[in-house]
Amino acid sequence: MTASGRRCGDCTLCCKVMAIEELAKPANAWCRHCKPGRGCVIYDDRPAECRSFSCVWLINQLLEDHWRPNKSKLVLTTSEDGIEVRCDPGVPDAWRREPFRSELQQWAISGETVDTTVVVIVGRRMTLVTGEREFDLGIVGPDERIVREFEGTRVVNATVVKASNLDA
Ligand code: SF4
Ligand code: SF4
């Protein structure tokens, strides 16, 4: 059990949506070691990436119970930019359901004042959620970055550029 008092229980969704480099497991495909809804069959010998992983729901009670990943079909993690929401590709519109869509929008509004983002990932496509709209960013590669344009703290445009172009 974690400090939040929560357990994964019958949830195994991260074993589908997350990529595991050590196993060459792509994102959005069940790990060959996962029994969906049951758990990991190599639990004691699972890779370090799996040992160190916790989704936000598991460790943060501020995220309410309805966000439980196997019920919401959404796995939340944090990055240096903000919140990443990985949607079960089998239920690609899960993030548009209520109350999830409205809560994501509220977080995006709060995030604009402290420069953090809310990004939804469905399959390989990313969508930046803002208080007023959503920006379909398409497929964002590991060598690419999201660049936002602002009017005040309001995001008015978002584009994807090569990281090397930003460094130049
Ligand atoms: S998605 Fe979260 S709650 Fe579900 S198995 Fe992974 S860490 Fe546990
Ligand atoms: S090795 Fe186990 S914990 Fe890691 S992704 Fe596969 S099933 Fe999940």
Side-chain angles (χ1 to χ4, degrees), residues 1-157:
M1 198 190 306
T2 59
S4 70
R6 286 178 170 160
R7 299 169 189 270
C8 296
D10 60 356
C11 179
T12 49
L13 191 55
C14 56
C15 302
K16 180 179 186 183
V17 300
M18 304 302 293
I20 308 292
E21 216 170 298
E22 207 173 318
L23 298 174
K25 179 197 125 23
N28 302 310
W30 284 110
C31 173
R32 64 183 182 276
H33 301 302
C34 183
K35 283 215 164 57
R38 305 270 303 278
C40 174
V41 297
I42 58 159
Y43 190 77
D44 290 339
D45 299 313
R46 67 199 187 287
E49 282 164 271
C50 305
R51 287 177 190 278
S52 61
F53 180 82
S54 298
C55 74
V56 178
W57 179 85
L58 186 64
I59 55 175
N60 192 336
Q61 273 192 319
L62 292 176
L63 201 60
E64 292 178 59
D65 266 346
H66 57 267
W67 284 92
R68 183 181 176 79
N70 61 336
K71 299 282 187 269
S72 64
K73 308 298 179 190
L74 302 166
V75 175
L76 271 61
T77 56
T78 51
S79 73
E80 57 189 29
D81 296 324
I83 297 171
E84 293 183 345
V85 182
R86 286 180 177 73
C87 192
D88 182 341
V91 192
D93 284 337
W95 68 281
R96 294 183 187 280
R97 296 175 179 167
E98 293 298 349
F100 307 111
R101 181 70 182 82
S102 296
E103 288 186 46
L104 292 174
Q105 202 169 17
Q106 282 308 313
W107 297 341
I109 292 168
S110 316
E112 282 180 3
T113 58
V114 289
D115 196 23
T116 59
T117 57
V118 175
V119 172
V120 176
I121 304 167
V122 184
R124 297 178 63 210
R125 293 190 80 85
M126 290 193 186
T127 301
L128 176 72
V129 177
T130 71
E132 294 174 353
R133 54 175 287 198
E134 52 196 61
F135 296 90
D136 181 356
L137 303 169
I139 296 168
V140 182
D143 60 338
E144 293 179 314
R145 300 288 177 269
I146 302 166
V147 175
R148 292 164 296 151
E149 287 172 34
F150 294 90
E151 273 177 12
T153 59
R154 198 164 60 93
V155 180
V156 292
N157 196 21

